[in-house]
Amino acid sequence: MLDNLSDKLDILFKKLRGQGVMTEENIKEALREVRLVLLEADVNFKVVKDFVERIRERSVGGQVLQSLAPGQQVIKIVQEELVALMGGGEDNSLDLAAKPPVAIMMVGLQGAGKTTTCGKLARLLRSQRRRPLLVPADVYRPAAIEQLKTLGRQLSIETFDSQATQDPVDICRDAIRFASLNGFDTVILDTAGRHQIDEYLMGELVRIRDAVEPREILFVADAMTGQEAVNVASGFNEQLDLSGVILTKLDGDAKGGAALSIRAVTGKPVKFVGLGEKLDALEVFHPDRLVSRILG
Ligand code: GDP
């Protein structure tokens, strides 16, 4: 089976070359393949439409049509544009330079991997010589607080002693005070998720944000949920003005098109990717790697 875009385009252009001079029509056919690959990788159709139009504009220039390897030329343009769309070359690092303690607020739907990612991020930050405090602020899911405390114990990272009977806004505010008094420079807030966006949850998240003014509000998205992740990300971004995205479960079958779409639709950078259940499976996001994955 041919599922590699580069191979597909090579074969297509060879076939076309047999028919004589390359034309704009040929490019169109190649772009149809590009479009399909992106849709198969779960990129949002509106994003694909705009993207293919940009590729078309760059491809119909004389150079591509007359080159000896038009397929490779188109691929190169596609790669460059995809990396640009993913924010290639931009600074994706966390903004933690403010006076400590700085707060990182993690948000997202239930099951996306938020709690696990809090642990992973705390571990990563500790390796960068920061002193993180984990804060369980999900008082609705019965096991959530205990789950984060367990992760904290595994990592030997302190977890704030929240109780499910407390108001989440109070928990977060108290945790910042606790961090300040006890020398923690980074506070990671694990907020509640739901199966879908609801007003009550959003109201609570906005109140937490206003109370603690986090430097980072990171949306944790499950790469396996594809298109849905894009709509959810937009909803969270509208309410909270996210600072970035963490895409989890990229160790699975997902092609990762969701990352591209979330970035294109919200304009917010993907900062990290989750690559497994283990606590060391978090990496800084590299646009070029994701692009290779999408193109197959
Ligand atoms: P939350 O409800 O958003 O807090 O989600 P959890 O942190 O409880 O994670 C839900 C499930 O996803 C758990 O079984 C995690 O082990 C799993 N998980 C989280 N991140 C990843 C990842 O990057 N890869 C894989 N394969 N599983 C993950």
Side-chain angles (χ1 to χ4, degrees), residues 176-190:
I176 301 282
R177 205 170 300 133
F178 177 86
S180 183
L181 291 172
N182 292 280
F184 294 94
D185 56 19
T186 319
V187 178
I188 301 177
L189 307 170
D190 184 20

Side-chain angles (χ1 to χ4, degrees), residues 187-291:
V187 178
I188 301 177
L189 307 170
D190 184 20
T191 65
R194 294 274 201 281
H195 289 297
Q196 58 194 35
I197 295 183
D198 73 54
E199 260 176 59
Y200 183 81
L201 171 69
M202 280 302 172
E204 178 178 299
L205 295 176
V206 168
R207 283 190 297 126
I208 292 176
R209 180 196 64 187
D210 293 348
V212 306
E213 298 180 352
R215 296 297 292 189
E216 293 278 349
I217 305 178
L218 301 175
F219 176 69
V220 180
D222 177 345
M224 305 290 279
T225 59
Q227 292 301 306
E228 189 46 29
V230 182
N231 299 332
V232 179
S234 292
F236 274 81
N237 191 43
E238 272 163 29
Q239 301 281 332
L240 292 167
D241 189 16
L242 305 170
S243 62
V245 176
I246 300 183
L247 198 67
T248 63
K249 309 188 193 181
L250 263 184
D251 50 310
D253 291 336
K255 278 284 207 167
L260 200 94
S261 310
I262 290 176
R263 166 75 212 219
V265 170
T266 64
K268 299 301 162 69
V270 179
K271 298 200 170 186
F272 297 95
V273 293
L275 294 166
E277 295 193 66
K278 294 220 181 98
L279 292 171
D280 59 358
L282 185 74
E283 283 185 7
V284 169
F285 176 62
H286 294 286
D288 46 343
R289 287 188 205 159
L290 190 88
V291 167

